[in-house]
Amino acid sequence: MKKVRKGDKMELIDPRQMLTAVVDAAPVCLCVLDSQGRVVMAEGSSFPEIGLLTDAITGTPAETVWDGYDTLTRAMRGALDGDPATATVVAGDRALEARFLPVAGDGGTSHVVAVVSDVTARYAGMVQIPAREEFLQGILDTVVDGIITIDELGLIRDFNPAAAEIFGYHPSEVVGKRVDMLMPEPHRSAHDGYIQRYIETGVGMAVGTRREISGLRKDGTVFPMEVSISELKVGEHRHFTGIVRDITERKEAERALRASEERYALAARGANDGLWDWDLDRNTIYFSQRWKAMLGCEEHDIGNSPDEWLDRIHQEDVARFCADVEAHLQGRTATFKSEYRIRGRSGEILRMLARGVAVRDEQGRPYRMAGSQADITDQKRAEERLIHDALHDALTGLPNRTLLCERLGQALARIRRNPDQKFALAVLNLDRFRVVNESLGHNAGDDLLAAVARRLENRLRPGHTLARLGADNFGILVEDIASPKDARTEVERLNKAISEPFTMHGREVFTSSRIGIVFGTPTYNAADEMVRDAELTMSRVKRDGIARIRVFDKKLHSEAVGIMQTETDLRKAIEQQRLIVYYQPIVALATGRVAGFEALARLDHPQRGIVPPSEFIGVAEETGLIVPLCQKVMSDACAQTAEWQRRFGLEGRLTVSVNLSARNVVDDGLFAMTEGVLAESGLTPKNLRVEITESLMMTNPGLIARVLGRLKSLGVGLALDDFGTGYSSFSHLRRFPLDTLKIDRSFVIRMISEARDQELVRIIIMLAHTLGLDVIAEGVETAAHVEGLLNLRCEYAQGFHYAAPLPADEAEDMLLRQGAG
Ligand code: C2E
Ligand code: CA
Ligand code: CA
């Protein structure tokens, strides 16, 4: 081993020369920079790849030498600040490393020494790339995907023609540059240090997966691209190959597909519905052919502006429609839904229901709204028809009771707010309507009602409401009147209109009306209370039969309340067995013995005591309670009489009279009831006598004769009550199967004082006898009456002279006193 020893041929070597020699021997450049970063000297190999030429650059700022290699500049600045730094750059096909060392001076770093060396050999893989170049190049040039190779510094190493086409750069413009130049701003900053971090930690880069990110073209446009990155390890170095695909078209196609899928779904919803698709960004709407056809329009009649829609929507509905759209776009409704009227091509108004849903981007901003439009005109019409039918009378087409009450309710609400908003309700009933119905038939009756409705309607002042309340009752709501007098004048005018003749089926028919009026007051709680009072007033007018028009007043009201009270009492009485029977004896004039009783109803009121029938028979007839009442009286009376017959040995000889009202006679159950009562009590049918009044008999003689005939067939006796008070004549009496005639008390009373009446009674009794009828004189109060009647050969007498109607036990005492018979 040869050693150089100290002193052997030692010559002085200039250190600078020696340095130059060392530097020259190695592929290194030694570079000294001053404190401003300017090149003071450069010795050794030139590195033209980064602009470092050792013979030409003295005095120039280093940054301008290696312009574009930011990493070098950054490392140099670090060294100028006192920190040694190393930077590696790829330039051309070479990898260069620069180490910057600060040299401390008085005021900080005075110089920086940079050693730049070629470290390409370290990147063995890269050295090999050229070896495979031809093979690879063939692939790279022909594939349609962009292929970009970057090294671990993030610098682009290779850029194939497809990539050039995608990004719009020539490869020479990008090779050696940082890859993030191909990314739009947000991605670029995110990419900073990305590869380095990946290499250090193994996370953060989508190696082996495919992902969609945005790319930036040379012309500045951003486009969607799909990138898959694979890592290539060569020795201890890595580089990355990205396969880049421009997916702009695919994205478009996807969006279009989504759109058409949604549209298809909408279409499937109903082939009958029109479709619309609103591009909110461009503010255009696609209207389907069906959408246009629904309005009677051709394809070309309607463009794609939203105004095509809005301008056709009914003025009154447009604001609500827009509000519905807004509500959905702002996310306040889950789906868009709006009902509106729209004008068709020929001006007709159609009812439509639009439904839709907005499509939103990632930020939730709606960019599109699509949906359907359904024609609901028929459905709406049907609904309206239903509502109309529910509120109108089918025969006359007038509002019905329900609608009248609704309007009345509104008028009541108004008068409660403002007492000056006066109004009145009139209820009008036709006279003799039943006569028309019965004599000319129901069709004629219907026609008359319709004709009356038309006439009233024509004469009605605007703003008033005419309604049919049922049967031949009409209601008239008279509004906006200054005083009650105005309402009366108006009603009188309508009343007059009714009395003009109607022509029905070729003949003139006269009718007239009876009217009850009630004035609106804030004290009414509900509309039907007012209707009730008006109807009550009208029925009073009818019953009294004198006036044609009457105004409801307090007295009528208290009467009505009384009637209601009576009805309640009566119902309770029937339920609680408080309806009792009094018995008034009917005496055989010849013997002075009790031949039978008239059963007379009484109400045993818990507060008022015994209530006479004058106070409740009328109400019982009006409410129908007369039917259970009659049954009660008849069954009690028959049971009682049968019992008395047995007890006093009067079998077959004691008779009981029961009164029938008109309602009882027309009641279908009368016959069965009578039959049942007789069977249950065991009373011989001929000992039951029913009494009907003369006036009742004359209301419908045919019907009454039939009913009485049936009762008669049971063996029941028939008496004509109150004879002489009606208008019947003896000739009529023949039609009825009567047994007994009861002369009304008014004749008996006058019989003594007025000779003429005595004569009349004589004739009645005589004629009754010639018809084979027994005679009972009612209201016999004195011995003189008894004597007179005996002279006239009257068979029986009933009256206070013998006894008033008596409770059962007192009547029984009478039977007891007179002894068995
Ligand atoms: P009515 O059938 O004419 O009954 C006779 C009425 O005359 C009874 O009145 C009786 O108390 C009264 N009266 C009898 N004798 C005299 C007399 O000498 N002088 C005077 N001033 N009056 C006498 P009441 O019991 O008050 O009955 C009144 C009316 O009530 C009856 O008249 C009858 O029309 C009706 N009524 C009573 N009970 C019933 C019933 O159960 N069913 C039906 N439908 N009506 C009844
Ligand atoms: Ca009677
Ligand atoms: Ca009578």
Side-chain angles (χ1 to χ4, degrees), residues 301-435:
D301 288 340
I302 296 180
N304 64 353
S305 153
D307 290 341
E308 298 277 12
W309 197 347
L310 297 178
D311 290 350
R312 286 181 166 84
I313 294 179
H314 195 287
Q315 258 183 339
E316 290 166 16
D317 296 349
V318 136
R320 198 165 27 84
F321 178 84
C322 291
D324 290 339
V325 170
E326 246 347 88
H328 182 58
L329 292 182
Q330 288 170 6
R332 280 184 277 123
T333 51
T335 52
F336 160 69
K337 200 171 163 189
S338 194
E339 232 181 84
Y340 47 89
R341 285 164 290 177
I342 193 164
R343 195 166 23 82
R345 190 172 186 216
S346 35
E348 76 278 22
I349 297 295
L350 301 161
R351 319 284 298 237
M352 298 285 185
L353 170 67
R355 271 185 293 239
V357 63
V359 186
R360 295 163 199 276
D361 62 14
E362 293 82 358
Q363 278 81 49
R365 190 190 62 92
Y367 61 87
R368 175 181 174 209
M369 182 156 95
S372 61
Q373 173 177 259
D375 188 334
I376 52 168
T377 310
D378 289 346
Q379 180 193 328
K380 277 277 146 188
R381 274 202 199 118
E383 271 172 28
E384 277 160 10
R385 176 92 249 160
L386 277 179
I387 292 170
H388 181 274
D389 287 356
L391 296 176
H392 290 82
D393 166 53
L395 175 65
T396 60
L398 293 178
N400 63 11
R401 182 181 284 262
T402 312
L403 184 53
L404 181 78
C405 282
E406 201 179 297
R407 304 233 170 114
L408 211 48
Q410 289 160 1
L412 277 171
R414 278 195 294 275
I415 203 172
R416 270 183 226 124
R417 285 195 300 271
N418 175 7
D420 291 339
Q421 304 248 309
K422 293 190 177 67
F423 69 98
L425 173 71
V427 168
L428 181 153
N429 178 271
L430 294 185
D431 284 339
R432 293 189 297 280
F433 176 68
R434 239 181 44 206
V435 176

Side-chain angles (χ1 to χ4, degrees), residues 287-298:
F287 297 107
S288 74
Q289 208 175 340
R290 174 75 193 133
W291 196 99
K292 296 174 185 178
M294 284 165 91
L295 302 185
C297 292
E298 301 287 336

Side-chain angles (χ1 to χ4, degrees), residues 598 600 659 691 721 742 778:
E598 177 172 3
L600 294 157
N659 296 281
E691 296 187 0
D721 206 354
K742 294 185 82 169
E778 292 187 299

Side-chain angles (χ1 to χ4, degrees), residues 598 659 691 693 720-723 742-745 778 798:
E598 177 172 3
N659 296 281
E691 296 187 0
T693 61
L720 185 63
D721 206 354
D722 300 346
F723 186 79
K742 294 185 82 169
I743 301 177
D744 192 69
R745 158 169 86 84
E778 292 187 299
Q798 176 184 357

